[in-house]
Amino acid sequence: MTGVASLDRRVAAWMARVRSPRLTRFMRLATQLGAAPLCLTTYVAAFFLSGPVLAASALAMAQTEALLLPAMAALRLLTRRPRPLPAARPCLFPWNRSSFPSWHAARTAMIATILTAHIPGAAAPAWTAAALVWISRSYLGRHYISDIVCGGLLGAAAAAALAAA
């Protein structure tokens, strides 16, 4: 575990060194790609306003999100890992005050996994967007890199498990 903690500290220190006002503005926008309001609205819109492939993808995303939520909340309540930097505003839900695992990383990995399986050619843009969200979460001090890796693995595994069921 000390190796993971060391990596977390080194990545956080590097992110602090490269921090700038312009990059921070960009990262605040990028992190919204994994935020619940945007993602949930997109699922609903894709389900009702698109063709069968996107509708099936949106349904799979909503189902996986519902499967992930209790697991993520339980892990966060069990670990109670503090976030690298304090939140700018208070969190409404007690489980959301913890850092481990990253919900944004889980959600974007789940979305990328589903889009890759359903839509030819979607892998590169989907995983690039996911990586951008992951970097933004570390850069903004909301998660350690280990939170992001574990969240991403959980999201991808949940999407794959639901697809296999």
Side-chain angles (χ1 to χ4, degrees):
M1 244 355 225
T2 59
V4 172
S6 174
L7 178 64
D8 282 341
R9 284 191 302 273
R10 285 184 292 167
V11 170
W14 181 79
M15 291 286 184
R17 283 194 306 275
V18 300
R19 196 164 278 126
S20 72
R22 177 182 242 165
L23 189 54
T24 299
R25 283 192 299 275
F26 175 76
M27 291 297 183
R28 283 185 181 143
L29 287 172
T31 206
Q32 294 307 311
L33 293 172
L38 176 63
C39 291
L40 297 176
T41 302
T42 303
Y43 303 161
V44 171
F47 184 78
F48 288 109
L49 303 175
S50 67
V53 172
L54 275 181
S57 296
L59 182 59
M61 289 175 204
Q63 289 171 329
T64 308
E65 185 107 23
L67 174 75
L68 273 173
L69 182 60
M72 296 291 286
L75 280 169
R76 284 183 168 194
L77 287 170
L78 286 170
T79 60
R80 296 191 188 279
R81 184 179 196 187
R83 293 184 182 269
L85 296 176
R89 58 183 197 264
C91 296
L92 296 176
F93 305 104
W95 65 268
N96 208 22
R97 294 181 190 126
S98 298
S99 179
F100 179 86
S102 168
W103 183 234
H104 278 68
R107 181 181 288 122
T108 55
M110 174 267 299
I111 290 169
T113 300
I114 291 169
L115 289 177
T116 298
H118 289 200
I119 301 169
W127 286 105
T128 300
L132 183 58
V133 170
W134 300 349
I135 293 166
S136 75
R137 300 307 287 166
S138 181
Y139 177 89
L140 295 170
R142 300 304 293 144
H143 291 287
Y144 296 100
I145 198 71
S146 58
D147 303 337
I148 294 163
V149 170
C150 290
L153 290 171
L154 285 169
L162 195 68

